[in-house]
Amino acid sequence: MNLHRMTRIALLTALSLILFVLEGFLPLPLPVPGAKLGLAAIVTLIALHLLPTRDAGLMLTLRILLASTLGGGVAPMLYSLAGGAASFTAMVLLKQHSQLSIVGISAAGGFLHNMAQLLVAAAVMQTTALFSYAPVLGFIGILTGIGIGIAAQVTLQKIYHNFVG
C-alpha cells in the first residue's frame, strides 16, 4: 500500500471517528434507545465517491473498530459491524447498479443499517420482541439517511469545486 493511499484512508478514518465522538455529546430526543444520527456515515459516503470500494470499506471497518475500542465494547461493536456491513454493501451495489442519487443511496443505507442492528440485537438478546421497534427504527434510518446524504452531497460539491474543478 503506497503512502498516498494510506494517508487518504487514515485522514478519512480520523474524520469519521471525530464525527462519531462528537455525536456522542449531542443530546438527541429520539424515541428508541440507541438511535443515533450516524454523522460518521457522511465520511463513509464521501469515501465511496473518492476512494476505491475496498479502501472505503477499510476506512469504515477501522472507524468501527477504533470507536469500539475507545468506548463501546463488544456488543456495540457487533451491532456496528452488522449495520456497517449491511449498509455499506447496499450502498456500493446501489451506487454501481442504480440511478439513485447520493441522498437516495444514503437513505437506503440508513434503513438497512438500523434493520441489521435490530436483527443482531434480537439474536443476542434472544427475543423477537425487539422487532416491534422496526417501524420506528426504519423511519428514523430513512430520515437520518436523507440528512446524511444531503450533508455528503454538499461536502462533495465543495470538494469538487474547490479542489478538482
Side-chain angles (χ1 to χ4, degrees):
M1 184 181 302
N2 68 39
L3 183 60
H4 179 71
R5 182 175 164 214
M6 279 193 317
T7 302
R8 289 179 92 173
I9 293 168
L11 286 172
L12 289 171
T13 301
L15 182 57
S16 68
L17 191 57
I18 289 167
L19 289 174
F20 172 81
V21 170
L22 287 176
E23 184 174 354
F25 293 112
L26 296 176
L28 298 175
L30 296 174
V32 179
K36 297 171 37 177
L37 294 175
L39 296 178
I42 296 168
V43 182
T44 303
L45 282 165
I46 291 168
L48 272 173
H49 283 77
L50 298 180
L51 302 178
T53 301
R54 69 172 190 255
D55 290 354
L58 176 59
M59 187 252 359
L60 173 63
T61 305
L62 287 170
R63 197 264 305 148
I64 290 169
L65 294 175
L66 288 168
S68 298
T69 302
L70 290 175
V74 176
M77 181 177 64
L78 289 175
Y79 302 142
S80 293
L81 285 171
S87 64
F88 185 79
T89 301
M91 291 189 300
V92 167
L93 291 172
L94 288 170
K95 183 176 180 282
Q96 293 173 350
H97 302 291
S98 79
Q99 297 299 315
L100 281 177
S101 69
I102 191 170
V103 176
I105 290 170
S106 179
F111 175 81
L112 289 171
H113 187 277
N114 284 358
M115 293 304 104
Q117 285 191 329
L118 186 60
L119 284 170
V120 171
V124 168
M125 297 179 186
Q126 298 179 345
T127 179
T128 58
L130 291 177
F131 293 127
S132 64
Y133 287 120
V136 175
L137 283 173
F139 183 70
I140 289 172
I142 291 168
L143 281 182
T144 58
I146 290 170
I148 295 301
I150 291 169
Q153 183 177 41
V154 168
T155 304
L156 280 168
Q157 288 170 346
K158 295 285 187 188
I159 289 170
Y160 287 133
H161 180 264
N162 291 325
F163 297 106
V164 179

